Amino acid sequence: DRWIIKTLIVAGITLITTGLTGLSWYVQLFLHIVEIESEERLGKNYSIGIIDWATVIIGFVLLAVGIVIYYVNKNFENHTKGDFIAIVHKSIDQFIAPDYGKLVNQKEYNIREITVDQTNLYNNGTLEYPEASIFQQNNLPSKIDALTKNVEKYQIGYFGLAHIPLTWEIGSSIADKFKISYFEYDRNKSSWKKVSKDNNSHPSINISSKIINPVSENAIIKIEVSYEVLDSKIFEVVPDCESFIAMRHPNLGLDSVTDLATIVDYSKQFRNQIDKIINNGSIKNIHVFYSGPVSLGLALSRKISKRTDPAFFIYNYNRNAQPVYKWALKISNSQPEIKKL
């Protein structure tokens, strides 16, 4: 449609310009012959001036048709609904479904829901078969791609209440392929809310690092936002590392991160620490121990590059297990793997 509109408008402008500025000499010569012949044979004088004005009129008609079609198409596009693709991810427990009527302008967007439900594998506080959980979510990027491939207007939202390694696996798979809106479950109101309000005065995350064993191929990053992560529990499963990096929110708590600016800033700081680790060419494994909201965890994991980064191990915490970090998910340039401890 757009090339038709462009052709009509260009042709119209060309004809108008030609009619007003005059025709080239060889066209004028041809039309002069037509003028003489038409007067002799038909008794009518189709002068060059008449033809000039006819050219201008036809040009205006083509230009008008092109402009009308353009605005009709634009109006149609503006009133065509886009798609809001909701990723509903749950592995810990069933939760209240998002009220899309309050979260999405349904006059502008149709709702397309992708549900990843792994709760049937969660019993007595334990995810019994994490390998099966990974298998269930492996095709999520291709599902998103299928829903967005031929759609010009869409948004993607993530609604998750899932184990940390599973969330991080989704985030690392999506990476920077799509723009994602983050939604958090409000425990006080028993409803979902979009993480959108920017807080330019958010507290900076505290970062400290130390070298433990210069010849080790392991690095550790612990991220404390909701709860404290004990070093003693970490060293039970990763006893040796070259560098130990701690990122800690100054005010630990379940609701310590509530705005998008904080998520963007902390994600940038996380990537900076990864780059510092990579500068040490001997590191082959980065072990991550995370305590924080789902939305921030998803954003952090999107900073991982499966193609170029070392292997990541994302640990799952279960206070009733021994050790408390009983299993971890390996994220690398190959298929995700479960490491049981």
Side-chain angles (χ1 to χ4, degrees):
D1 289 348
R2 293 183 179 179
W3 71 266
I4 294 175
I5 294 170
K6 185 181 291 185
T7 301
L8 289 171
I9 291 176
V10 170
I13 293 174
T14 302
L15 290 174
I16 292 170
T17 303
T18 302
L20 293 177
T21 60
L23 305 169
S24 59
W25 67 268
Y26 51 86
V27 176
Q28 287 187 1
L29 177 62
F30 172 75
L31 292 176
H32 186 65
I33 296 172
V34 172
E35 176 186 350
I36 296 172
E37 290 295 322
S38 64
E39 187 172 4
E40 289 181 355
R41 297 177 181 275
L42 303 175
K44 294 183 179 180
N45 184 356
Y46 293 100
S47 66
I48 293 176
I50 293 174
I51 294 174
D52 284 345
W53 280 110
T55 302
V56 172
I57 292 170
I58 294 172
F60 271 114
V61 170
L62 292 177
L63 180 62
V65 170
I67 292 173
V68 169
I69 294 175
Y70 169 78
Y71 279 104
V72 167
N73 277 4
K74 188 173 183 180
N75 185 62
F76 176 77
E77 288 176 358
N78 289 339
H79 288 83
T80 300
K81 282 189 174 184
D83 286 341
F84 180 85
I85 302 167
I87 302 171
V88 179
H89 183 203
K90 44 191 172 182
S91 69
I92 296 176
D93 205 351
Q94 297 292 338
F95 52 68
I96 296 174
D99 185 351
Y100 298 116
K102 295 181 179 179
L103 299 170
V104 182
N105 184 352
Q106 292 185 288
K107 291 182 180 180
E108 296 291 332
Y109 292 94
N110 295 311
I111 306 300
R112 302 279 186 261
E113 194 172 85
I114 301 175
T115 301
V116 182
D117 188 350
Q118 300 145 321
T119 55
N120 61 319
L121 301 173
Y122 183 69
N123 292 309
N124 299 320
T126 302
L127 189 66
E128 294 183 338
Y129 303 102
E131 297 89 350
S133 298
I134 294 299
F135 178 79
Q136 288 180 350
Q137 65 186 49
N138 262 349
N139 62 349
L140 179 60
S142 61
K143 286 184 178 180
I144 298 174
D145 187 60
L147 290 176
T148 58
K149 195 169 187 178
N150 298 313
V151 179
E152 292 187 5
K153 180 181 176 183
Y154 66 86
Q155 291 185 10
I156 302 173
Y158 178 83
F159 303 81
L161 184 60
H163 291 76
I164 289 170
L166 303 183
T167 300
W168 280 60
E169 196 281 326
I170 285 180
S172 63
S173 297
I174 294 174
D176 56 1
K177 298 182 183 73
F178 305 98
K179 183 179 179 180
I180 304 291
S181 295
Y182 304 108
F183 292 82
E184 282 285 347
Y185 186 72
D186 189 326
R187 296 171 293 106
N188 298 319
K189 297 181 180 179
S190 299
S191 61
W192 291 89
K193 61 181 179 181
K194 185 177 181 179
V195 181
S196 58
K197 183 180 179 182
D198 288 341
N199 178 12
N200 293 324
S201 60
H202 64 269
S204 298
I205 194 165
N206 299 322
I207 302 176
S208 62
S209 62
K210 56 185 177 181
I211 302 298
I212 295 179
N213 180 3
V215 298
S216 174
E217 296 180 341
N218 296 314
I220 293 174
I221 303 178
K222 77 166 181 176
I223 306 165
E224 302 168 299
V225 177
S226 298
Y227 302 103
E228 184 178 11
V229 177
L230 297 177
D231 293 356
S232 59
K233 301 299 182 183
I234 293 175
F235 290 125
E236 285 182 0
V237 293
V238 187
D240 182 56
C241 70
E242 188 270 344
S243 57
F244 187 100
I245 298 171
M247 303 177 66
R248 182 184 176 96
H249 193 285
N251 304 305
L252 296 183
L254 291 175
D255 301 316
S256 55
V257 174
T258 58
D259 62 275
L260 192 57
T262 306
I263 289 177
V264 171
D265 181 31
Y266 290 8
S267 299
K268 181 180 179 180
Q269 297 299 327
F270 175 66
R271 183 64 227 184
N272 288 341
Q273 298 309 311
I274 295 173
D275 291 337
K276 288 179 181 179
I277 291 172
I278 291 175
N279 287 336
N280 181 345
S282 65
I283 299 300
K284 294 184 178 180
N285 306 303
I286 300 176
H287 303 265
V288 176
F289 297 84
Y290 174 74
S291 164
V294 175
S295 55
L296 177 59
L298 186 73
L300 296 177
S301 61
R302 295 180 68 192
K303 296 299 182 181
I304 295 174
S305 173
K306 292 183 176 182
R307 297 182 300 273
T308 59
D309 288 346
F312 279 80
F313 289 87
I314 314 301
Y315 287 81
N316 182 72
Y317 177 82
N318 182 350
R319 63 182 178 182
N320 297 320
Q322 183 56 41
V324 293
Y325 294 107
K326 192 69 176 176
W327 61 274
L329 170 70
K330 181 182 179 182
I331 296 175
S332 65
N333 57 5
S334 58
Q335 290 296 318
E337 300 176 26
I338 299 296
K339 173 185 175 183
K340 292 187 176 180
L341 304 164

